[in-house]
Structures are given as C-alpha cells and as structure tokens.
Amino acid sequence: MSDKVVPVSPIKNFLAGGFGGMCLVTTGHPLDTIKVRLQTQPAAESGKPLTYTGTWDCLKKIIKHEGFKGLYKGMGAPIVGVAPIFALSFFGYGVGKQMVNRDPNTELSPIQRFFAGCISGVMTTVIMTPGERIKCLLQIQQGAGATVKYAGPLDCGAKLLKEGGIRSIYKGTCATLLRDVPASGMYFMTYELLKKALIPENCTSLSPLCTMFAGGVAGILNWAVAIPADVMKSRLQTGMPRILLLQ
C-alpha cells in the first residue's frame, strides 16, 4: 500500500479538522479539567487528607461546589485554537513524511511514521503552549467563594502578558514539547498501522467503526506516552509551589 496523497481542498481539511477538534474538546474537556485538578493539587498537610482522593471524588466535588459549569472552565482557549492546531498537526505530519521518505511510491516503515508524527508535535507546540497555559490557569480556579483571578481566556492572556510578557504566555514550552513530540509520533504510527491492518482485502478504506477503533487505540497509546510530561507541564504552567523543575 503506497502513501500517495489523494488531493483534498485545504479549506475542506481545515474545516473538517476544526469541527472534529471542537467535538473532541467539548466531549473531553470535563475529564481534562479533572486531570489538571488532580495533577496540580498540593501535597496534603500533616494529618489532613488530599483535596481530591481520585477521579470520582474530584468529579463529585467540582459538581457540588461549582456546578457542571465548573467542568468546562478554560474551554474557550482550546476551542479557539483547535482548528489551527489540527491543521498544523496534519500539515506537520505531511512534512515529516516527506522528510523521512522522499519516494512517494515507497511505503513508510513504522519508525518513519513515528518520526513524521514527531515533526507534527513540534509544529503544534507553537499554538498549543499558550492555549494550554491559559486553560490550565482557568481550570484550577476553585469555586465556592474562592478568589478568582481571571475572568476568562482573554482576561487571563492579557494579565499574563502584562505580568511577564510573551515569556509568561509560553511558560512550559519545553514540557509541552516533551509531551507532544513523542506522543504525536506514537499516535500517527499506531493509527496508520491499525488502519492498514484493519482494511479488508479488496477494499481501499475503513468503515467508520474501524476508524473509531483505530483512533481510540492510538489515542490511548498517545496518552500513555504523554502523561508523565503532561504532569510536569501542568505544574509548571500553573506555578505549583514546592515543585522544583528545571526550565
């Protein structure tokens, strides 16, 4: 099976990727909020329990104290950035494939697909880092009478720029690269290999169900690789106290 590219309108790719990304953010953001809260909660004081003991406990406490809206804190930044991020991701993967294999009639090896995916992760970091910084800061703002520093994504971005300039907006860039470069490589490699394995004989495309399965498995392996660096990124970008990390 060759890697010949069927010409598709860049506008259609951008719109389709943007719509798919918005669906992804809308469905996944509540779990992302829980993830960030668990990653950034401070260590328990002597004799006192942790604020959240686990995923289910965190979910219940957010709904109890902040309502369902609390699960969607900080969603504005990723919604705005998702279309260009997806566009850059697939553009970067295409560039990466050209870099590792200049013969379009030769099938890429798994390692070549991995490195092509890594190029995608490098490119998306340019947009991903400031969006993640704003999102994480909004997500950790507690409800129920707690002090709220940022009124929303625009207010958060403006205050970060005022307080620390562009460097503040891009805090956590190295950790984002450590997360997204290998994770993107793993995603694209796994997705392409599963697509190839699942396509029936005498067929040229996958059914929607098989496509979802391939994407789901690739996503699981993506996060299996990404989660250690993601913990560092969340703590760096939210300015967690008593956490000393090299920047």
Side-chain angles (χ1 to χ4, degrees), residues 147 213 222:
T147 302
F213 175 77
N222 170 90

Side-chain angles (χ1 to χ4, degrees), residues 120-186:
S120 168
V122 172
M123 290 194 174
T124 56
T125 298
V126 177
I127 300 175
M128 185 73 77
T129 301
E132 286 280 302
R133 169 88 156 126
I134 292 169
K135 174 185 70 71
C136 288
L137 286 172
L138 291 171
Q139 283 175 321
I140 64 168
Q141 290 190 142
Q142 309 291 316
T147 302
V148 175
K149 183 177 181 180
Y150 307 112
L154 291 177
D155 180 60
C156 182
K159 287 179 178 175
L160 288 175
L161 281 171
K162 184 178 179 180
E163 293 168 2
I166 195 70
R167 186 174 180 180
S168 177
I169 287 282
Y170 276 90
K171 183 178 181 181
T173 298
C174 289
T176 305
L177 282 167
L178 284 173
R179 181 192 72 171
D180 288 353
V181 170
S184 294
M186 177 61 74

